[in-house]
Amino acid sequence: MSATSKRSLFDIFKGFSKLSYIDRLKALTEVKVLSEADQNFLKTGGLQDVRLAEKFIENVIGYFQIPLGVATNFNIDGKDYIIPMAVEETSIIAAASKTAKWVRENGSIATEIIGQSIIGQIQFAKVKDFTVFEKEILRQKNYLIELANREVAFGLVKRGGGVNDLKIRKLERDDGFIMAVIHIYMNPCDAMGANIMNQVCEYLKTPLQELTGETVTMCILSNLVDSKLTKATVTIHTIEPELALKIEEASRFAELDSYRAATNNKGVLNGIDPILVATGNDWRAVEAGIHAYAAMSGQYKSITKWRKIGETLVGTLTAPIIVGTVGGVTTLHPSAQISMKLLGVTSANELSRIMAAVGLVQNLGALKALTTVGIIEGHMKLHIKNLSLGAGATENEMPFVVKRLEEILSLTKRISLSNAVEVLNDIRKQTNH
Ligand code: MEV
């Protein structure tokens, strides 16, 4: 991010949350992260023209708009990032930014990609003779890979990717027959790869049937991509030993218990999903992959792990996060393009690493809050404005209602819409007297 190299993004974002949204847009334009055109596009409410929607889906009747914000303070692998997040849940962005600041001041975030290939599956529901089938495919393995690369994945090969392996799996059915599944492994470069993988599998169907005399039942990519994992590691050097232990205990809970693991992973996805949405990536695919990976041992488990090691707290997240930076909605949707600009990433792997880092930091923020003050206070403080609006407070009445509700919250640790209605009624009575 050359335009901002003189001042770090950390400096630029000091007091950012206190600015009006117009001033936030101005600040991002001043540092040349956004252009004047981007600023105007966002100021006028984003995408209005339904013709683009009609390119994406059928039976269009409009757009469904959710807020787009930015999480600040993230320094990942030594580089400052602005994180675009499209999300409706109060406090996700605030918690991410606050925790990222804490990590930045007391530790670091490192990320890596383990493996490079996505998986496609070709099913043979009932094979007559698995041994002969396996032998024949293995004999022709290199030919099949070359064929797929020459006829379908040639564009990826030019960019350093393409099909690179093939494996055969044997599944025992409950009716005595054997099901065979071929896994195709392919490096999709900067694409998410679903379309090209499905094309490769469909293309291989005929040669495979001819070679083996067996029948292909279906072909599709798999979202459980254990052959390409993204890992993030957060290390906190300066931390109260008691807090580090509490976070470790919260982590052990999610590692041992599926009920807790589901909520823990939901908190991680609070960090990942909004970036997937903002960048026009397929969040259903990533969700499915992450949950399937979390259950791979036979028990649904946490995808994060925190340990106090000496004086340090170390957390890791490992999961498949398969995303693209080219093609589909990412390229066509102007808001996704703006999000990509904000991120300033140069590859799909970099985007995936950022998502893992934000997911892990979001998890840390949740565990820190849950094991200390609880999440109600932080959540509700931000929710007070929504409650005041919900009760019908006008712009003039808002500051008074908010102040009174904050007092009630700090006294009772609880607050609801009926409190807001009561407070508003009291204020109106007092002003009428
Ligand atoms: C709420 O959106 C997310 C949390 O429940 C996550 C967690 O429990 O770890 C706070």
Side-chain angles (χ1 to χ4, degrees), residues 89 92 260 263-268 270 363 366-367 370 375 379:
E89 188 178 326
I92 286 183
R260 172 59 204 151
T263 325
N264 179 84
N265 291 348
K266 190 274 180 186
V268 174
N270 276 348
N363 177 235
L367 299 189
L370 288 167
I375 57 155
H379 250 79

Side-chain angles (χ1 to χ4, degrees), residues 69 71 74 83-97 260-278 283 286-287 290-291 303-304 317 354-367 370 375 379:
F74 274 89
I83 312 292
M85 298 179 99
V87 68
E88 83 303 339
E89 188 178 326
T90 311
S91 86
I92 286 183
I93 293 183
S97 306
R260 172 59 204 151
T263 325
N264 179 84
N265 291 348
K266 190 274 180 186
V268 174
L269 287 161
N270 276 348
I272 296 176
D273 279 352
I275 316 176
L276 289 166
V277 177
W283 74 92
V286 174
E287 285 262 354
I290 287 183
H291 292 304
I303 56 163
T304 57
L317 175 154
I354 290 173
M355 290 184 190
V358 178
L360 184 59
V361 167
Q362 198 86 46
N363 177 235
L364 176 61
L367 299 189
L370 288 167
I375 57 155
H379 250 79

Side-chain angles (χ1 to χ4, degrees), residues 32 40 83 95 163 176 193 199 211 214 222 284 302 338 347 371 429 432:
K32 299 203 166 26
N40 288 335
I83 312 292
V163 178
Q199 284 173 46
L211 281 174
E214 302 283 0
S222 171
R284 286 90 51 209
S302 159
I338 289 177
S347 69
T371 55
K429 267 188 219 152
N432 286 340

Side-chain angles (χ1 to χ4, degrees), residues 75-325:
N75 183 282
I76 302 165
D77 297 313
K79 182 174 164 191
D80 285 343
Y81 286 99
I82 304 171
I83 312 292
M85 298 179 99
V87 68
E88 83 303 339
E89 188 178 326
T90 311
S91 86
I92 286 183
I93 293 183
S97 306
K98 189 175 158 198
T99 315
K101 183 163 185 262
W102 185 60
V103 173
R104 176 184 198 111
E105 286 166 355
N106 298 290
S108 59
I109 310 173
T111 62
E112 62 186 298
I113 301 283
I114 304 162
Q116 57 171 9
S117 301
I118 60 168
I119 301 171
Q121 296 193 293
I122 304 173
Q123 181 211 23
F124 298 75
K126 288 178 188 170
V127 287
K128 295 183 273 292
D129 187 332
F130 182 81
T131 316
V132 173
F133 172 87
E134 186 179 37
K135 210 168 139 202
E136 189 54 26
I137 304 241
L138 288 179
R139 202 169 64 81
Q140 301 288 351
K141 180 174 155 173
N142 289 342
Y143 160 72
L144 289 163
I145 293 173
E146 273 165 32
L147 189 66
N149 280 334
R150 192 174 64 233
E151 298 299 326
V152 190
F154 46 86
L156 289 179
V157 174
K158 269 193 218 148
R159 283 180 273 141
V163 178
N164 52 51
D165 201 4
L166 170 161
K167 283 185 184 147
I168 303 150
R169 295 176 57 222
K170 181 182 184 183
L171 304 178
E172 311 272 350
R173 299 168 51 119
D174 62 3
D175 56 6
F177 287 101
I178 296 294
M179 183 185 296
V181 180
I182 298 183
H183 276 195
I184 305 291
Y185 292 86
M186 182 182 81
N187 176 353
C189 300
D190 285 326
M192 185 262 192
N195 284 337
I196 183 93
M197 177 56 97
N198 291 336
Q199 284 173 46
V200 164
C201 292
E202 284 289 342
Y203 176 80
L204 286 177
K205 191 171 155 178
T206 308
L208 282 168
Q209 291 187 148
E210 281 168 7
L211 281 174
T212 61
E214 302 283 0
T215 308
V216 170
T217 337
M218 62 173 272
C219 331
I220 188 75
L221 92 160
S222 171
N223 289 122
L224 174 51
V225 193
D226 58 349
S227 45
K228 181 173 181 180
L229 298 170
T230 310
K231 183 173 179 188
T233 305
V234 164
T235 310
I236 310 277
H237 300 292
T238 324
I239 183 168
E240 301 264 316
E242 220 177 277
L243 176 60
L245 273 178
K246 279 181 180 173
I247 291 171
E248 174 172 334
E249 290 308 333
S251 173
R252 286 184 186 276
F253 185 11
E255 289 161 39
L256 289 170
D257 179 47
S258 302
Y259 290 90
R260 172 59 204 151
T263 325
N264 179 84
N265 291 348
K266 190 274 180 186
V268 174
L269 287 161
N270 276 348
I272 296 176
D273 279 352
I275 316 176
L276 289 166
V277 177
T279 56
N281 270 288
D282 183 346
W283 74 92
R284 286 90 51 209
V286 174
E287 285 262 354
I290 287 183
H291 292 304
Y293 183 72
M296 254 189 116
S297 65
Q299 185 194 324
Y300 187 91
K301 288 185 176 172
S302 159
I303 56 163
T304 57
K305 185 174 176 180
W306 294 92
R307 288 291 181 273
K308 179 179 180 298
I309 301 172
E311 297 303 301
T312 307
L313 177 71
V314 181
T316 54
L317 175 154
T318 311
I321 306 176
I322 308 299
V323 292
T325 51

